[in-house]
Amino acid sequence: MKFPWTRLRELGIVGMNQRNAEFIMPYNERRYYPLVDNKIITKQRAIARGIPVPPLYGHIELEHQTAHLHNLLASYREFVIKPANGSGGNGILVIAGKTASGQFRKANDSVISLEDIKHHMSNILSGMYSLGGDTDSAIIEYRVRHDPCFNEVSYKGVPDIRLIVFRGIPLFGMIRLPTRQSDGRANLHQGAVGAGIDFRTGRTHFGVMNSRPVSSHPDTGVPIAGIDIPRWQQMLEMAATCFELAPLGYLGVDLVLDQDQGPMMLELNARPGLAIQIANHQGLEPVLRHAQALGTIPDDPCKRVRIGCMIREKFATSPA
Amino acid sequence: MKISKISVIALVLTALAVGAVYYKHKRLGLPLQPAQQSEVWTVEAKLQFRANGGPVKVQFYIPRSPPGFIKLNEDFISSNYGLATEADGLNRQALWAVRRAKGKQVLYYRMEFVQSSDSTGPRTTPRPAYPPVPEYEEPLGSAVMALLDEVRSHSADVATFTRELLLRLNTSQPDQNISLINKSGHGSAEWVRQLVRILAGARIPARIVYVLPLQDLVKHGSLVPWIEVHNDFQWIAFNPVTGAQGFSDDVLVWRTGDDPLVTVSGGTPAEVDFSISRHALSQVSIAEQWARQTDSRLMDFSLFALPVQTQNVYRIILMVPLGALVIVLLRNLVGLATFGTFMPVLIALAFRETSLLWGVIMFTMLVILGLALRLYLEKLKLLLVPRLAAVLTIVILLIALFSIVSVQLELERGLSVALFPVVILAMTIERMSIVWEENGSQEALKLGTGSLIAAVLGYLVMTHPGLSHVVFVFPETLLIVLAITLLVGRYTGYRLLELWRFRGLIKEADKP
């Protein structure tokens, strides 16, 4: 009988303390955090690098700007409002359409008025959702409509693909599928399903929900394993390129697959969570350690993707 | 490499702290346990005499490092008299002088002292010359000689000789010789003087020592003569009445020798009255006073040098790092999630005002009520800061209501909530309501429970009487807290709750 911590060590599971002390602190310099914490900056830098992002409709920085909100929103049927410095997917409002009476319809089919939107916006501006509680600004942007291949495994929301990019090398991936419990949000701690992605093929395998393994989507009943993610290779290359937007050695890249515009970069994360290990049934540590020991890293993102695939191949677990 | 550097720093900090604690505990006698009390005796000698109108000089013997006691404090209350103290190898004297004094004069000498086993060293002085055999008058002479012969044959050395002699002199059925000797009044100074003369008959150096029997609440005490004999190495004291050897711990040696206790020139002979009282004093203040007596600078730079009110504030403030340490351990070793980082510490501080059980009950009820109202406020669509202020106002009203209700129910505890930090409550409610809306009730309750657990543990640590005593008396122990914090800061192992979180992976891996 071994102690559980000994077993976890053997499996190479990285804990929160280890992640902070050995990966985030040495590889992610604090001064680069604003590049990923502020979504406006991230978006601008991504556009400059040619990485597709959801187009920006408007940027509300001051309370009185909400007075003109009606004009701003008039030309868009659907859009997303989010805090520029939000954390953990909080404060995101998805408008999926308008009603005949001029009200707005949320993604979960409830109807809200312009006043409600203004209130939400002033909450964002006063810093309710921002990381440090500082005042914030609100972003209005294109609403991503996910690729039809995910129709049966997502509940009223857009699945997103989280990739861990270490020293510019994409090394781990999972897809996060919204559920009824997560209220359409692709956030694991809110109850979304996470599914690990086979790095070579881009096909999903194990699913996990609330830290417990699941084999099918809780709301649709469709099996989670075996979904082929379209344009997987392109996504890996995008993720690898994101390293150039913000020189953070340990980076979480969130991508979405839009039905019209293809893969887009949604946001970057300087403190990506550890649930990806559960979704992949594999510990991060040996893979990260191997990448740590690599000498020079090539500048070409495509080469980095190949290195990533090679490393994963090397540490492949026997198929379950 | 970094880890070892941290270990070295932690080790140095711990060593510093342990060293300082050891020094203060051993050398200054600061207690490691709270509320250790020692008996402090206060002896006051009151000298009364009438002055003739001219210059007055008063000499008065005062104790000089009495065996078995440590002097904490002494005062001379002598109005317009000039004062000097003077010590020789045996005794100490207070010398009062004034140019002109008339009528009734009162001088006081007061001293405070505690018992201490450290100061009972042997009273060694070079051996005095053997006294010559005195010329006794008859019929005393033959009685003494007969007694000495008898005692000599029943004893081995100076100590046993003296004890045997005292035993015979104090027997309840004295024979003729003894009755003759005891004629001078058994136990009086005259009788002890005679004892010295008798011992001189055996060529044993002896002297009178005046001691003050310590009894609580004595108003008119007086000095009692004891006898000391020299055995070629040291002076051995005997209670001449009981024959018991050595100074017992209920007598204070006042002076050695037989000179008059007080001499007054320029006035009538002085009357001396001793009053004695006893009270318990915490060892901390004893150590503090003693350190002052021995001129140790350490106490001047301790928290005891602060005004009492400030001290009381520090008693609380110094415990905050321990509360923070609890949070550090809970978050980084256990993995407990809480609202804010140090908010539980603040909640724990709030519990100090209310006691634990009531604090938890009131905190829970206020948060639940506040949360319900806060969720209603959400419908009014207020801006963040006004909403916070509104929640604050509601919290204060709720607290007031709580106190009123508890008075009606005659629950006295409810009143202490008045000092419950309302801002902390308002912020807790605000944060909890945001989490409630964003991440669901489950997450909010999880965080709330985590905060409450952390607050309770923090409270238990921060109010532990032993710990708070040690931290206040030995603030350097906070260096140990710092060392632990540094070490935990480099801990990269799993948190306890992560073992639970990743349990599925273990199960999966253990599958054949």
Side-chain angles (χ1 to χ4, degrees):
Chain A
M1 180 61 199
K2 282 176 179 167
F3 291 116
W5 48 90
T6 326
R7 285 296 293 145
L8 286 179
R9 263 295 163 248
E10 284 169 0
L11 293 171
I13 306 294
V14 173
M16 200 67 94
N17 292 328
Q18 192 184 11
R19 180 200 75 170
N20 292 342
E22 291 178 14
F23 299 110
I24 289 189
M25 270 194 263
Y27 286 98
N28 292 0
E29 279 185 59
R30 277 225 157 250
R31 62 193 167 113
Y32 297 128
Y33 277 25
L35 299 183
V36 297
D37 287 342
N38 188 321
K39 295 189 179 69
I40 291 283
I41 298 179
T42 316
K43 209 185 269 288
Q44 284 163 352
R45 291 177 71 94
I47 292 167
R49 286 275 167 179
I51 297 171
V53 289
L56 184 68
Y57 292 168
H59 184 206
I60 306 289
E61 287 173 285
L62 298 167
E63 191 73 37
H64 76 86
Q65 284 178 291
T66 57
H68 313 293
L69 202 59
H70 181 70
N71 298 335
L72 184 64
L73 297 179
S75 49
Y76 305 110
R77 273 196 65 76
E78 43 189 60
F79 51 88
V80 176
I81 296 174
K82 53 167 87 163
N85 285 300
S87 64
N90 289 343
I92 297 176
L93 178 67
V94 181
I95 299 298
K98 286 180 186 170
T99 60
S101 57
Q103 305 274 75
F104 296 89
R105 193 167 51 76
K106 276 166 66 175
N108 60 6
D109 285 338
S110 65
V111 172
I112 62 169
S113 67
L114 185 66
E115 278 310 302
D116 293 326
I117 292 180
K118 280 183 183 171
H119 176 62
H120 183 76
M121 213 156 245
S122 65
N123 273 342
I124 291 177
L125 294 181
S126 57
M128 193 162 141
Y129 308 106
S130 73
L131 287 166
D134 302 326
T135 53
D136 200 356
S137 59
I139 295 172
I140 307 170
E141 67 176 22
Y142 171 78
R143 179 197 168 212
V144 175
R145 313 259 297 266
H146 60 77
D147 193 274
C149 70
F150 299 128
N151 274 346
E152 303 203 298
V153 286
S154 54
Y155 179 85
K156 303 213 170 190
V158 181
D160 74 2
I161 290 140
R162 156 64 61 88
L163 288 146
I164 298 285
V165 180
F166 183 62
R167 299 181 75 192
I169 308 167
L171 285 174
F172 270 85
M174 71 168 163
I175 184 163
R176 300 184 293 192
L177 307 164
T179 61
R180 187 197 297 274
Q181 194 195 333
S182 76
D183 194 23
R185 284 176 291 196
N187 227 317
L188 287 195
H189 72 257
Q190 289 169 341
V193 170
I197 300 173
D198 185 304
F199 225 66
R200 195 168 43 85
T201 59
R203 177 177 296 166
T204 58
H205 40 87
F206 327 98
V208 58
M209 185 181 171
N210 295 328
S211 296
R212 272 185 287 274
V214 285
S215 55
S216 59
H217 193 277
D219 303 313
T220 60
V222 175
I224 284 164
I227 306 168
D228 277 311
I229 293 174
R231 302 161 87 170
W232 173 242
Q233 206 57 35
Q234 191 189 342
M235 286 189 182
L236 286 180
E237 278 160 27
M238 264 175 73
T241 317
C242 283
F243 176 60
E244 287 152 27
L245 303 184
L248 296 172
Y250 186 72
L251 188 66
V253 178
D254 290 353
L255 303 174
V256 283
L257 191 60
D258 188 70
Q259 62 178 16
D260 304 319
Q261 308 196 21
M264 290 196 281
M265 191 271 288
L266 211 53
E267 62 176 76
L268 300 180
N269 198 321
R271 312 163 194 81
L274 299 170
I276 200 163
Q277 301 178 104
I278 308 176
N280 278 290
H281 285 202
Q282 193 175 349
L284 287 169
E285 199 191 3
V287 177
L288 294 181
R289 288 264 183 256
H290 186 85
Q292 217 170 13
L294 292 179
T296 50
I297 306 286
D299 288 336
D300 182 7
C302 299
K303 282 186 185 157
R304 292 205 295 265
V305 170
R306 275 203 292 282
I307 295 174
C309 290
M310 266 159 54
I311 296 175
R312 284 304 300 275
E313 200 98 11
K314 198 175 159 83
F315 287 96
T317 48
S318 51
Chain B
M1 203 182 78
K2 231 175 186 169
I3 291 173
S4 67
K5 197 166 135 196
I6 295 249
S7 316
V8 169
I9 295 174
L11 203 71
V12 169
L13 289 175
T14 312
L16 273 177
V18 170
V21 170
Y22 183 81
Y23 175 80
K24 283 168 85 172
H25 178 57
K26 281 289 168 195
R27 299 297 300 276
L28 299 182
L30 285 170
L32 289 169
Q33 301 281 319
Q36 275 184 3
Q37 296 210 319
S38 288
E39 287 183 343
V40 176
W41 292 93
T42 306
V43 170
E44 189 179 88
K46 182 181 174 192
L47 285 70
Q48 277 178 299
F49 60 95
R50 299 194 76 81
N52 297 339
V56 174
K57 277 206 293 185
V58 180
Q59 287 189 328
F60 177 59
Y61 279 106
I62 53 177
R64 177 187 179 279
S65 53
F69 293 94
I70 286 179
K71 185 174 69 191
L72 295 179
N73 216 342
E74 63 183 357
D75 286 315
F76 300 86
I77 301 162
S78 45
S79 60
N80 52 343
Y81 281 75
L83 169 76
T85 60
E86 184 172 90
D88 60 20
L90 274 179
N91 290 309
R92 216 167 138 240
Q93 274 189 312
L95 306 168
W96 280 288
V98 71
R99 176 65 62 186
R100 209 162 276 131
K102 195 168 167 56
K104 192 181 173 193
Q105 307 287 313
V106 184
L107 298 173
Y108 290 97
Y109 168 74
R110 188 189 296 137
M111 110 181 222
E112 283 187 336
F113 50 92
V114 290
Q115 259 159 21
S116 160
S117 52
D118 296 349
S119 61
T120 29
R123 281 159 67 89
T124 48
T125 48
R127 181 178 59 79
Y130 295 121
V133 178
E135 301 274 321
Y136 302 108
E137 320 140 15
E138 289 302 332
L140 189 66
S142 37
V144 168
M145 285 308 160
L147 179 63
L148 286 180
D149 281 343
E150 217 174 309
V151 168
R152 191 174 288 119
S153 64
H154 283 88
S155 66
D157 55 11
V158 171
T160 51
F161 185 95
T162 313
R163 193 182 310 126
E164 186 67 26
L165 177 68
L166 289 172
L167 219 62
R168 280 164 195 277
L169 286 175
N170 289 321
T171 177
S172 54
Q173 286 135 4
D175 62 19
Q176 269 189 344
N177 285 344
I178 302 220
S179 304
L180 190 65
I181 293 166
N182 280 355
K183 225 162 64 185
S184 55
H186 186 242
S188 68
E190 190 51 45
W191 180 73
V192 178
R193 261 176 228 131
Q194 198 182 43
L195 208 54
V196 173
R197 268 162 55 83
I198 293 171
L199 283 165
R203 307 214 64 191
I204 295 173
R207 65 183 185 187
I208 295 184
V209 175
Y210 283 92
V211 301
L212 184 67
L214 294 175
Q215 256 183 312
D216 195 13
L217 300 174
V218 166
K219 283 270 184 286
H220 303 286
S222 54
L223 298 182
V224 172
W226 276 34
I227 193 163
E228 272 189 321
V229 293
H230 203 279
N231 71 347
D232 288 357
F233 303 107
Q234 65 180 72
W235 289 101
I236 303 169
F238 285 93
N239 181 342
V241 181
T242 62
Q245 186 181 337
F247 293 114
S248 49
D249 55 11
D250 59 352
V251 295
L252 175 78
V253 176
W254 197 270
R255 64 182 178 120
T256 311
D258 204 17
D259 300 335
L261 175 65
V262 52
T263 47
V264 178
S265 69
T268 58
E271 278 174 41
V272 185
D273 241 347
F274 291 93
S275 60
I276 305 162
S277 67
R278 178 177 63 182
H279 61 279
L281 198 62
S282 76
Q283 282 192 2
V284 175
S285 36
I286 291 171
E288 183 196 349
Q289 291 185 10
W290 187 59
R292 214 172 280 148
Q293 283 280 314
T294 52
D295 281 337
S296 173
R297 302 295 296 163
L298 207 60
M299 272 312 202
D300 290 348
F301 290 99
S302 83
L303 292 165
F304 292 106
L306 300 174
V308 174
Q309 218 171 2
T310 320
Q311 282 189 26
N312 287 338
V313 175
Y314 272 103
R315 274 182 199 278
I316 299 171
I317 290 179
L318 287 180
M319 293 310 282
V320 172
L322 282 174
L325 180 66
V326 169
I327 301 296
V328 165
L329 296 180
L330 282 180
R331 283 179 77 103
N332 282 50
L333 298 191
V334 178
L336 197 73
T338 57
F339 283 118
T341 313
F342 289 119
M343 196 179 271
V345 178
L346 297 177
I347 298 171
L349 284 176
F351 286 164
R352 289 181 63 98
E353 307 283 347
T354 56
S355 88
L356 187 58
L357 186 66
W358 267 101
V360 172
I361 292 172
M362 283 186 291
F363 178 80
T364 317
M365 285 176 71
L366 285 171
V367 166
I368 290 172
L369 284 172
L371 203 57
L373 287 163
R374 162 69 180 77
L375 290 177
Y376 173 73
L377 277 186
E378 179 63 23
K379 289 191 182 162
L380 300 180
K381 312 227 173 293
L382 305 175
L383 294 179
L384 178 77
V385 180
R387 187 177 58 220
L388 261 175
V391 172
L392 184 66
T393 312
I394 290 171
V395 164
I396 289 173
L397 287 174
L398 283 175
I399 290 177
L401 192 73
F402 221 83
S403 294
I404 294 167
V405 170
S406 61
V407 163
Q408 293 301 316
L409 297 176
E410 292 178 358
L411 298 169
E412 211 158 286
R413 274 292 176 191
L415 293 175
S416 56
V417 86
L419 292 170
F420 216 84
V422 285
V423 177
I424 297 168
L425 267 173
M427 304 239 321
T428 310
I429 290 169
E430 177 65 21
R431 290 185 96 129
M432 195 156 173
S433 73
I434 291 174
V435 174
W436 189 289
E437 279 173 20
E438 284 293 320
N439 300 337
S441 54
Q442 222 178 341
E443 184 77 8
L445 290 178
K446 201 176 100 187
L447 284 176
T449 321
S451 303
L452 205 56
I453 290 172
V456 169
L457 287 176
Y459 169 85
L460 291 177
V461 169
M462 284 197 283
T463 55
H464 189 273
L467 277 175
S468 88
H469 166 84
V470 167
V471 171
F472 185 72
V473 178
F474 308 101
E476 50 279 356
T477 45
L478 288 186
L479 292 178
I480 299 178
V481 173
L482 184 61
I484 298 173
T485 314
L486 290 181
L487 288 178
V488 175
R490 292 300 306 180
Y491 170 77
T492 57
Y494 298 106
R495 300 173 181 178
L496 200 60
L497 293 180
E498 279 175 347
L499 301 180
W500 173 252
R501 182 184 176 193
F502 294 123
R503 70 194 182 283
L505 288 173
I506 297 180
K507 228 182 277 170
E508 201 68 37
D510 286 346
K511 265 186 207 160

